[in-house]
Amino acid sequence: MELIINPADELPIYRQIMRQITEAIAVGRLKSGEKLKSHRDLSEELVIAPLTVKKAYDELEALGFIETQRGRGTFVCTAPPRLDPVEQRDKIQQAARSFLSQAYLAGLRYTEVVKILKDADRELTAGAPSRKEKETA
Amino acid sequence: MELIINPADELPIYRQIMRQITEAIAVGRLKSGEKLKSHRDLSEELVIAPLTVKKAYDELEALGFIETQRGRGTFVCTAPPRLDPVEQRDKIQQAARSFLSQAYLAGLRYTEVVKILKDADRELTAGAPSRKEKETA
Amino acid sequence: MELIINPADELPIYRQIMRQITEAIAVGRLKSGEKLKSHRDLSEELVIAPLTVKKAYDELEALGFIETQRGRGTFVCTAPPRLDPVEQRDKIQQAARSFLSQAYLAGLRYTEVVKILKDADRELTAGAPSRKEKETA
Amino acid sequence: MELIINPADELPIYRQIMRQITEAIAVGRLKSGEKLKSHRDLSEELVIAPLTVKKAYDELEALGFIETQRGRGTFVCTAPPRLDPVEQRDKIQQAARSFLSQAYLAGLRYTEVVKILKDADRELTAGAPSRKEKETA
DNA sequence: GTGGTCTAGACCACC
DNA sequence: GTGGTCTAGACCACG
């Protein structure tokens, strides 16, 4: 699990960490129960302050993605968190609009966008355990 | 050109303005050469400080989306900014991966994501020149 | 005497006009006693407000570059204005620093800058009546 | 890095700051990666509003000269912005013509202009890495 | 009326 | 301590 952080990015560093970990979980690159690096090791590896990594872990734990076991380490939760479905839906729709607009600004047409999305799906799912269909609940 | 701002949103107000304007340009709802509201008028309309709107306009100008003519107003640029096509493509692909991951985290399947994207396209394209008729629902 | 104005330029339009006229005088492209276009004609030609051209002419007259003769028109003065030599010198030196810095930022070296300056001199002086050496006074 | 601002100058304060910083970068007095003063400290030092300094920093960042890292500070970029070389050349040549015209208006001759340019170079290069020794006079 | 600049504060998030 | 955002004014220059 390699992370890439960019100190100049407008997204805070702890958010960059959170995003990459949740994406890895979403896609199956990080599996349920898998152990994460300690926040101290990770901070050394990324050359950032330990508190910054800890903040990311704390927030991820508060959101239900990971859990810490005193003395043993930090692990990916078995049960992925379920947020408010309505709110969730709104955020996804907004993300879709943003993504589309960005693509349109680049001069792409709708069919091309779909193609890119399909490629991204293939790339993300590659190497990951074949996802099981989940209820949209 | 109606804007909606949400002071509670984590996205800064001036960014919300920028996003909506660039999306409107991307989609053709704002046409080349079209005049924007003065930053004072818009600030009154949105009930926010004039400087906040001005900051949005300033950044959009720095990015090449709009241009101002002292004493006359602010206008949509005729030549939208063009980045390096390769770099452009990379950013879009990265955005696609982020979008997909977010959707998967919410428990959606690929086919559902495509459906959401199609809806977003319809919504964005509504009101734009070459639009397909649909109820604004 | 063709003028080029750019409404999007950060330099005010009336200043753009002033600059081009004074440069033309400096270089001999506009000769002493020569008649300028009326401010109304020029404003039509440039597609700008007559008041804007008039402001440029007024300022140029106040500075001593041109003079208007009621009912006859506007003419280039025979005696070029002499500003405070010290202040003048300071401004030139500041302009030299700015020009040099700009060139250095572009990656040029000093000798290349001098070469460009020589070319510019040739280009400016070409077609103009050979300038007579003036006392620096 | 000492800055001098003149509130009476027609050039806005934030532009004066920008000019001096870009000149320092151009000439090597500010090196890649070097940390700038915080905009608050600098504003105190210059006895101006913090927002004024911040505006200068923001514009310099938009132009690619410096970059900020939240919580850490503002730094000179390692890769200075590179424009289209041809376009670049055009701008420099135009600047050369402007500079020359201004000097000629002041009654200077070409050889005098070159002398002033040489002095400006010495002054700019003073304090920079590969400088030639001279009295700061 | 339009944008351009500046002030003197304030609160928040990040490291 | 650092930058990020926002406010509510003010004065000026331009067209």
Side-chain angles (χ1 to χ4, degrees):
Chain A
M1 180 63 196
E2 295 298 308
L3 297 187
I4 300 168
I5 68 135
N6 172 12
D9 195 325
E10 72 174 338
L11 195 68
I13 294 176
Y14 82 98
R15 288 268 203 175
Q16 295 181 37
I17 296 173
M18 287 175 65
R19 186 170 55 73
Q20 291 179 61
I21 291 183
T22 53
E23 286 188 7
I25 294 175
V27 144
R29 208 162 64 248
L30 269 178
K31 292 173 222 118
S32 291
E34 189 166 342
K35 186 172 185 299
L36 296 177
K37 286 194 177 83
S38 81
H39 77 267
R40 299 193 58 186
D41 284 355
L42 187 52
S43 72
E44 269 185 36
E45 190 179 309
L46 301 177
V47 196
I48 58 180
L51 263 184
T52 304
V53 180
K54 182 154 198 316
K55 180 165 186 179
Y57 278 20
D58 284 349
E59 301 252 321
L60 285 172
E61 182 159 23
L63 290 175
F65 286 103
I66 64 182
E67 62 181 357
T68 70
Q69 298 174 17
R70 293 267 291 263
R72 295 194 53 245
T74 308
F75 303 84
V76 177
C77 283
T78 44
R82 280 271 169 257
L83 303 179
D84 174 17
V86 176
E87 183 188 331
Q88 193 86 297
R89 192 88 182 184
D90 280 356
K91 282 174 75 172
I92 301 279
Q93 287 172 341
Q94 175 56 51
R97 278 196 292 274
S98 282
F99 170 55
L100 258 188
S101 297
Q102 188 182 344
Y104 286 162
L105 267 182
L108 301 181
R109 278 163 298 139
Y110 180 73
T111 53
E112 297 172 303
V113 175
V114 172
K115 209 158 64 185
I116 287 179
L117 200 69
K118 193 146 82 184
D119 290 347
D121 178 55
R122 240 186 259 120
E123 190 176 335
L124 280 178
T125 339
S130 71
R131 298 185 328 99
K132 303 171 182 171
E133 298 295 356
K134 310 161 193 166
E135 59 286 357
T136 319
Chain B
M1 181 62 196
E2 294 299 309
L3 297 187
I4 300 168
I5 67 137
N6 173 12
D9 194 326
E10 77 170 337
L11 196 67
I13 295 177
Y14 83 97
R15 287 275 194 175
Q16 296 182 37
I17 296 173
M18 286 175 66
R19 185 170 55 71
Q20 292 180 62
I21 292 183
T22 52
E23 287 187 6
I25 293 176
V27 144
R29 208 162 63 247
L30 270 178
K31 287 172 228 122
S32 290
E34 190 165 340
K35 187 176 184 301
L36 297 177
K37 287 195 175 82
S38 84
H39 74 268
R40 287 171 218 266
D41 283 357
L42 186 52
S43 72
E44 270 187 35
E45 193 178 308
L46 301 178
V47 197
I48 57 179
L51 255 193
T52 303
V53 179
K54 185 163 194 306
K55 180 164 186 180
Y57 279 19
D58 282 349
E59 301 251 319
L60 285 171
E61 179 161 27
L63 290 176
F65 288 104
I66 65 181
E67 69 179 357
T68 75
Q69 296 176 15
R70 268 182 336 298
R72 304 224 310 112
T74 307
F75 304 83
V76 178
C77 280
T78 44
R82 278 273 166 262
L83 302 180
D84 173 19
V86 176
E87 183 185 333
Q88 190 93 293
R89 194 85 180 187
D90 281 355
K91 283 175 71 173
I92 301 280
Q93 287 172 340
Q94 174 55 46
R97 280 193 291 270
S98 281
F99 171 55
L100 258 188
S101 298
Q102 189 181 346
Y104 286 162
L105 259 186
L108 301 181
R109 280 165 293 142
Y110 180 73
T111 53
E112 295 172 307
V113 175
V114 171
K115 207 157 63 183
I116 287 179
L117 200 69
K118 193 147 90 182
D119 288 347
D121 178 54
R122 264 208 291 270
E123 192 175 330
L124 277 177
T125 327
S130 61
R131 74 171 183 254
K132 301 171 182 174
E133 286 304 322
K134 79 159 196 111
E135 56 287 355
T136 320
Chain C
M1 180 64 194
E2 295 300 309
L3 297 188
I4 300 168
I5 68 133
N6 173 12
D9 194 324
E10 73 174 338
L11 195 68
I13 294 176
Y14 83 97
R15 289 267 203 173
Q16 295 181 38
I17 297 173
M18 287 176 64
R19 186 170 56 73
Q20 291 180 63
I21 292 183
T22 53
E23 287 187 7
I25 293 176
V27 145
R29 206 163 66 249
L30 269 178
K31 290 173 225 122
S32 290
E34 190 166 340
K35 187 172 185 299
L36 295 176
K37 287 194 176 85
S38 80
H39 78 265
R40 300 194 55 185
D41 285 355
L42 186 52
S43 71
E44 271 186 34
E45 190 178 309
L46 301 178
V47 196
I48 58 180
L51 263 185
T52 303
V53 180
K54 182 155 197 315
K55 180 166 186 178
Y57 278 20
D58 284 350
E59 300 253 321
L60 284 171
E61 181 159 23
L63 289 174
F65 287 103
I66 65 180
E67 63 181 354
T68 70
Q69 297 175 17
R70 293 267 291 268
R72 296 195 52 241
T74 308
F75 303 84
V76 177
C77 283
T78 43
R82 280 271 168 256
L83 303 180
D84 173 18
V86 175
E87 182 186 335
Q88 193 86 296
R89 193 87 181 188
D90 281 354
K91 284 175 73 171
I92 301 281
Q93 287 172 341
Q94 175 57 51
R97 278 194 293 273
S98 283
F99 170 54
L100 256 188
S101 297
Q102 189 182 344
Y104 285 163
L105 267 181
L108 301 181
R109 278 165 297 141
Y110 180 73
T111 53
E112 296 173 304
V113 175
V114 172
K115 208 157 63 184
I116 287 179
L117 200 70
K118 191 146 81 181
D119 288 348
D121 177 55
R122 239 186 259 118
E123 191 176 332
L124 280 178
T125 340
S130 69
R131 300 182 328 96
K132 303 172 184 172
E133 300 293 357
K134 310 162 193 163
E135 58 287 357
T136 318
Chain D
M1 180 64 195
E2 295 298 309
L3 298 186
I4 300 168
I5 68 138
N6 173 12
D9 195 325
E10 78 170 338
L11 195 66
I13 294 176
Y14 83 97
R15 287 276 193 177
Q16 295 180 37
I17 297 173
M18 288 176 65
R19 185 170 53 72
Q20 292 179 60
I21 291 182
T22 52
E23 288 187 6
I25 293 176
V27 144
R29 209 162 60 246
L30 270 178
K31 288 171 227 123
S32 289
E34 189 166 342
K35 187 174 185 298
L36 297 177
K37 285 195 176 82
S38 85
H39 74 269
R40 288 173 217 265
D41 282 356
L42 186 52
S43 73
E44 269 186 36
E45 192 178 308
L46 300 178
V47 197
I48 58 180
L51 256 192
T52 303
V53 179
K54 185 166 193 308
K55 179 163 187 182
Y57 279 19
D58 282 350
E59 301 250 317
L60 285 172
E61 179 161 26
L63 291 175
F65 288 104
I66 65 182
E67 68 180 357
T68 76
Q69 298 176 16
R70 267 182 338 296
R72 304 224 310 111
T74 308
F75 304 83
V76 177
C77 281
T78 45
R82 279 270 165 266
L83 303 179
D84 173 19
V86 175
E87 184 185 330
Q88 189 92 293
R89 193 88 181 184
D90 281 355
K91 282 176 71 173
I92 301 279
Q93 287 172 341
Q94 174 55 48
R97 280 193 291 272
S98 280
F99 170 55
L100 259 188
S101 297
Q102 189 181 343
Y104 287 162
L105 260 185
L108 301 181
R109 279 165 294 143
Y110 179 73
T111 51
E112 295 173 306
V113 175
V114 172
K115 209 159 64 186
I116 287 179
L117 200 69
K118 194 147 90 184
D119 288 346
D121 178 55
R122 265 207 291 270
E123 192 174 333
L124 278 177
T125 326
S130 61
R131 75 172 181 255
K132 303 172 182 171
E133 286 305 320
K134 79 152 192 120
E135 56 287 356
T136 320

